[in-house]
Amino acid sequence: MVIGASPLASIVPLTRSTSGNEGVVTQFDMKGVSKIGLLKIDFLGLSNLTVIQETVESVEKVRGERIDIDTIPLDDPATYELLGKADTHGVFQLEATLGKRILIDMQPRSLQDLAAANALIRPGPLEGGVVDLYIKRRRGEEPITYMRPEMEPILAETFGTMIYQDQVMQIASAVAGYSLGEADVLRAAMGKKDKAKMAHQREKFLAGAAARGVEEGTAAALFDLIDHFAGYGFNKAHAMCYALIGYQTAYLKANHPLEFTAALLNSRAGDFDKLKQTILDAHARGLTVALPDVNRSEAGFAVGDAAKGEILYGLAHIKGAGERVMEQLVAERKSSGPYLSLADLCLRVGGRDLNRRVLEALVRSGACDLLGERGMLLATLDRALDRAAQIRREREVGQGSLFGDSAEVETAAGVTAVDQFGITAEVAPVAADERLRWERDYLGMYLSDHPLRRISDQLSERIDTGIGELGAHLDGVYVQIGGAIRDLRAFIPRRSTTGQRMAFVTLEDLSGTCEVVVFARTFEECAELLRADQVIVVRGRVQAGRNGRAAAAPAPVQNGAAAPEEDEHADSEQVSVIAEQVYALEDVRLAAWRRNIRVHLRLSAGQEHLLPPLRAILSRHRGEAPVIIQVQGSRSVDEIVLGAEWSVEPGPALERAVESVLGDSAYRVEVERQRAPERENARRR
């Protein structure tokens, strides 16, 4: 939003928006708008606020409990337990891998802790070593020091580390005598890296510090430290607001997981990869996401049988169904009762929107399973549409059936696989594999089952990274992933001088999908493996947002401002894997391969009596992976590295055994990955 003291048309050139948003925009970018004295305000739209509202409404509808989200307790034990375990899928700003690591190390106990976590989950603090320094000082593993005594009251709450922009301004005021207004000018100059302004600010800072008795060397070192920090500093008020929204989403997930998950699924319905991850998270919490059902589902995801932890897939999210006609379908069902047959559905919903394509989507997705077998329904679909259209025409002209209400009886009974001459149509039931393919095509994923589930244990032994774990934090790191090929595009690059082919492969496992780029040299070695539905294992290098179709596009800009939701998903940059080797699942070379991993076991306070059964479990699963026990205290986590005699063979069996004793999320596997040489990363860029 741009605000001026007089009508904007007399100050700045304007034009109509071309982005689809009705309204007027300036023809100056954000810097130009600021230079001519206009006030620019960015409004951040967050889908998480909608998730919170939908969850609150769902809890009241399902359980009759009214929640005032603004008065929830800010010291809820279940919420902080969830955050301490980093069980944060769907929690605002804290669901990325980096955020989870910080939460596990930090063990937050207050909103102030969550604000610090939000400020630390930025590239600058990570690259500058501030995160490690903060965690070590918080745990008491490193002494807290200050360059000047004046800095102690400013930095005490963050253990002597600068993580907020406000702290920069306060330090400039306390050490160099800046007014807060002057300190804000310093902060802005540092953030924009304006060399001319920075030279002036440096001179002013050193002079102000000298006037207060600060040695020139100390003042210069402090200015350089502030300069380095200001490029990534986070506003504290911003961090606290993010912390509050993050806490609210964590509170709802910890205390009302069923309703929260249904709302979260609605917010992610347009992205099937995120939708799949949310469904997997729901399964991990003992919740189920059922196939869509024309007689039970809403247009969006909704709570089904709360006692069974059931969520119903939304009808409007079936590919090809259409939101408007699904809303009509639900409204008709609520007003006149459940649908008795496919013909009943066609007659009662009717209209041009409920056409053959929409009905086929409903049948193939499983939404009409209670009305008949899918193959039979597809075989009779045209007759159901024709009969419903005939009945509507007769009603319009006031013509009754020769046999009175027989038309209505036929509609209620449904259309069978017998044509008008009484000849039975032979329709074979749809095979299980075909039903699963239809689920993938129309729901974006396998829901009732997954073909890879039968070989999941075998596949997990041959990889070190699940596709759902990939993210920008692994940029430039070697990983080994596996799954089934869902899409393949092989071609000869336009600039190729050899005529050799390369390929873009979409690979899917139980946690998600990713793009694998297979360049010519590797393609020629594995061409026979690259075919649809083939299960493969890929060894390659993660690449974040540069080459390939998965490279993240720049955020759209209006008036020089970033897109409204640029900060909503901090780790959402898409990545691809540059394949170096591709194996068949049964390749003998994989049989001898071993992951370079460590097993972490979390022992909560008061669980010391569980050490004997834990010792027995470790004895039954001996192997080569070292074990680290993390003992959770009130404000820190102490790590105990067990001796080599307690090394284990990690896997699903060990995970189930450990969590049956220590509880959910007590077992975690950490993979030690190798980083690609810098020259190789630079060459790819």
Side-chain angles (χ1 to χ4, degrees):
M1 177 181 291
V2 178
I3 301 174
S6 58
L8 293 180
S10 64
I11 305 174
V12 61
L14 306 175
T15 186
R16 291 284 181 184
S17 172
T18 59
S19 66
N21 300 322
E22 295 183 5
V24 177
V25 298
T26 71
Q27 296 186 38
F28 286 4
D29 64 12
M30 65 177 182
K31 292 182 179 179
V33 166
S34 299
K35 284 181 179 179
I36 63 175
L38 296 175
L39 175 63
K40 180 182 68 68
I41 303 176
D42 296 333
F43 290 91
L44 185 65
L46 300 176
S47 63
N48 303 80
L49 299 177
T50 303
V51 171
I52 291 172
Q53 181 179 352
E54 285 188 8
T55 304
V56 170
E57 292 173 352
S58 181
V59 169
E60 183 173 6
K61 177 181 178 181
V62 174
R63 306 185 189 278
E65 177 184 347
R66 178 169 295 183
I67 300 172
D68 183 351
I69 198 64
D70 295 322
T71 61
I72 60 174
L74 299 180
D75 57 355
D76 179 58
T79 301
Y80 286 111
E81 181 182 358
L82 178 141
L83 291 167
K85 295 189 298 185
D87 182 13
T88 53
H89 181 86
V91 174
F92 179 58
Q93 286 287 310
L94 297 173
E95 61 179 319
T97 303
L98 295 175
K100 291 181 178 181
R101 290 180 181 175
I102 289 174
L103 289 175
I104 290 173
D105 290 337
M106 177 186 285
Q107 293 298 302
R109 288 293 179 268
S110 66
L111 274 186
Q112 287 73 18
D113 290 346
L114 292 181
N118 272 285
L120 291 169
I121 308 171
R122 311 291 152 187
L126 292 162
E127 295 169 1
V130 177
V131 174
D132 291 338
L133 184 63
Y134 176 92
I135 295 298
K136 288 180 180 179
R137 288 183 172 184
R138 180 185 174 92
R139 288 180 171 185
E141 299 172 0
E142 185 172 307
I144 300 172
T145 59
Y146 305 94
M147 293 184 68
R148 294 287 302 170
E150 302 97 312
M151 296 169 61
E152 182 171 355
I154 300 170
L155 301 181
E157 67 169 324
T158 54
F159 306 95
T161 60
M162 281 188 288
I163 64 175
Y164 299 123
Q165 291 177 348
D166 314 60
Q167 293 172 322
V168 169
M169 298 168 62
Q170 289 175 299
I171 290 172
S173 176
V175 175
Y178 278 56
S179 69
L180 291 181
E182 292 171 328
D184 190 51
V185 173
L186 169 65
R187 177 202 58 77
M190 288 180 171
K192 295 177 181 177
K193 304 299 182 185
D194 188 313
K195 292 183 179 180
K197 290 183 178 180
M198 283 302 299
H200 171 71
Q201 288 293 333
R202 183 183 184 88
E203 182 179 338
K204 181 178 180 178
F205 185 91
L206 295 180
R212 291 180 170 243
V214 181
E215 296 181 0
E216 183 178 354
T218 302
L222 179 57
F223 185 88
D224 291 339
L225 180 63
I226 292 175
D227 186 17
H228 170 73
F229 163 82
Y232 60 74
F234 208 53
N235 179 277
K236 186 177 181 181
H238 200 162
M240 286 298 295
C241 291
Y242 274 20
L244 180 60
I245 297 175
Y247 179 87
Q248 289 173 341
T249 52
Y251 175 88
L252 293 174
K253 180 173 183 177
N255 294 280
H256 304 282
L258 182 63
E259 295 82 359
F260 175 80
T261 303
L264 185 63
L265 286 167
N266 279 320
S267 75
R268 299 184 169 181
D271 187 323
F272 284 108
D273 281 339
K274 290 181 179 178
L275 197 64
K276 180 183 298 183
Q277 292 168 9
T278 302
I279 289 175
L280 289 172
D281 183 69
H283 291 166
R285 307 183 72 79
L287 307 177
T288 60
V289 180
L291 288 170
D293 183 345
V294 293
N295 277 330
R296 299 182 64 213
S297 295
E298 302 287 335
F301 288 91
V303 174
D305 188 336
K308 296 180 179 179
E310 182 188 47
I311 297 171
L312 298 173
Y313 198 100
L315 295 172
H317 302 312
I318 301 171
K319 289 183 180 180
E323 183 174 1
R324 184 172 64 176
V325 67
M326 291 301 103
E327 289 176 348
Q328 293 173 359
L329 185 152
V330 172
E332 168 62 24
R333 184 191 73 214
K334 290 181 177 179
S335 65
S336 303
Y339 299 104
L340 304 178
S341 67
L342 187 61
D344 186 34
L345 174 64
C346 295
L347 179 62
R348 289 166 55 186
V349 179
R352 289 179 297 179
D353 291 332
L354 189 69
N355 52 35
R356 193 186 198 286
R357 179 181 59 83
V358 173
L359 278 174
E360 188 172 303
L362 289 174
V363 172
R364 290 179 185 270
S365 67
C368 297
D369 281 356
L370 292 181
L371 305 182
E373 197 276 325
R374 295 186 201 182
M376 185 75 74
L377 292 175
L378 288 173
T380 59
L381 191 150
D382 288 326
R383 278 184 288 155
L385 281 169
D386 293 343
R387 186 67 184 119
Q390 178 187 354
I391 294 173
R392 279 195 295 272
R393 287 193 300 269
E394 292 174 353
R395 287 177 176 174
E396 289 172 1
V397 299
Q399 176 183 347
S401 169
L402 178 63
F403 300 102
D405 295 332
S406 62
E408 304 296 336
V409 174
E410 179 185 344
T411 301
V415 178
T416 66
V418 180
D419 66 19
Q420 60 182 328
F421 300 105
I423 301 174
T424 302
E426 294 185 4
V427 181
V430 179
D433 289 345
E434 183 72 4
R435 288 201 304 271
L436 287 178
R437 277 194 291 271
W438 287 348
E439 285 182 23
R440 186 187 70 197
D441 292 342
Y442 288 92
L443 305 180
M445 70 199 75
Y446 300 108
L447 203 56
S448 61
D449 197 2
H450 197 296
L452 289 178
R453 192 162 284 119
R454 307 163 197 165
I455 58 170
S456 59
D457 288 351
Q458 182 184 4
L459 184 62
S460 66
E461 294 172 355
R462 287 160 168 73
I463 64 172
D464 61 20
T465 306
I467 291 176
E469 300 176 68
L470 297 176
H473 63 287
L474 293 178
D475 187 26
V477 171
Y478 287 117
V479 296
Q480 191 153 306
I481 61 175
I485 295 175
R486 293 300 172 226
D487 187 42
L488 170 67
R489 185 167 75 89
F491 60 97
I492 298 175
R494 284 179 294 180
R495 298 182 181 179
S496 173
T497 58
T498 62
Q500 292 180 304
R501 294 181 298 169
M502 64 170 291
F504 288 119
V505 176
T506 300
L507 195 67
E508 179 185 51
D509 69 4
L510 291 174
S511 64
T513 61
C514 75
E515 179 184 72
V516 176
V517 182
V518 185
F519 287 113
R521 177 181 58 81
T522 307
F523 183 89
E524 295 304 319
E525 296 173 355
C526 66
E528 71 279 1
L529 297 176
L530 301 181
R531 58 181 184 272
D533 296 325
Q534 173 73 29
V535 178
I536 59 173
V537 174
V538 177
R539 170 77 174 171
R541 177 176 50 82
V542 176
Q543 181 169 270
R546 287 189 292 275
N547 298 329
R549 295 174 297 178
V557 173
Q558 287 190 4
N559 290 339
E565 297 197 19
E566 62 175 350
D567 283 327
E568 188 172 356
H569 303 294
D571 197 36
S572 62
E573 183 178 14
Q574 295 186 21
V575 300
S576 55
V577 174
I578 310 302
E580 298 198 351
Q581 290 179 301
V582 179
Y583 306 96
L585 182 63
E586 299 80 12
D587 195 307
V588 293
R589 290 172 291 180
L590 293 174
W593 177 81
R594 292 292 182 272
R595 290 177 291 176
N596 187 16
I597 60 177
R598 295 185 295 181
V599 174
H600 292 257
L601 306 180
R602 182 177 56 83
L603 194 68
S604 301
Q607 287 188 321
E608 295 81 1
H609 65 286
L610 299 177
L611 287 174
L614 178 61
R615 186 182 300 115
I617 291 172
L618 299 182
S619 298
R620 292 196 302 269
H621 294 84
R622 295 197 183 279
E624 300 178 359
V627 176
I628 299 173
I629 295 182
Q630 297 175 315
V631 182
Q632 182 175 332
S634 58
R635 289 190 59 85
S636 64
V637 177
D638 298 320
E639 292 189 347
I640 302 173
V641 181
L642 301 186
E645 67 273 16
W646 293 106
S647 295
V648 296
E649 180 63 35
L654 176 61
E655 179 179 6
R656 288 191 293 269
V658 168
E659 294 193 344
S660 68
V661 173
L662 299 183
D664 294 341
S665 303
Y667 174 95
R668 178 171 66 89
V669 174
E670 178 187 10
V671 180
E672 297 183 21
R673 301 180 176 91
Q674 178 186 1
R675 179 166 292 277
E678 284 300 321
R679 61 180 182 276
E680 182 177 347
N681 286 329
R683 183 171 64 250
R684 293 296 187 189
R685 291 171 191 168

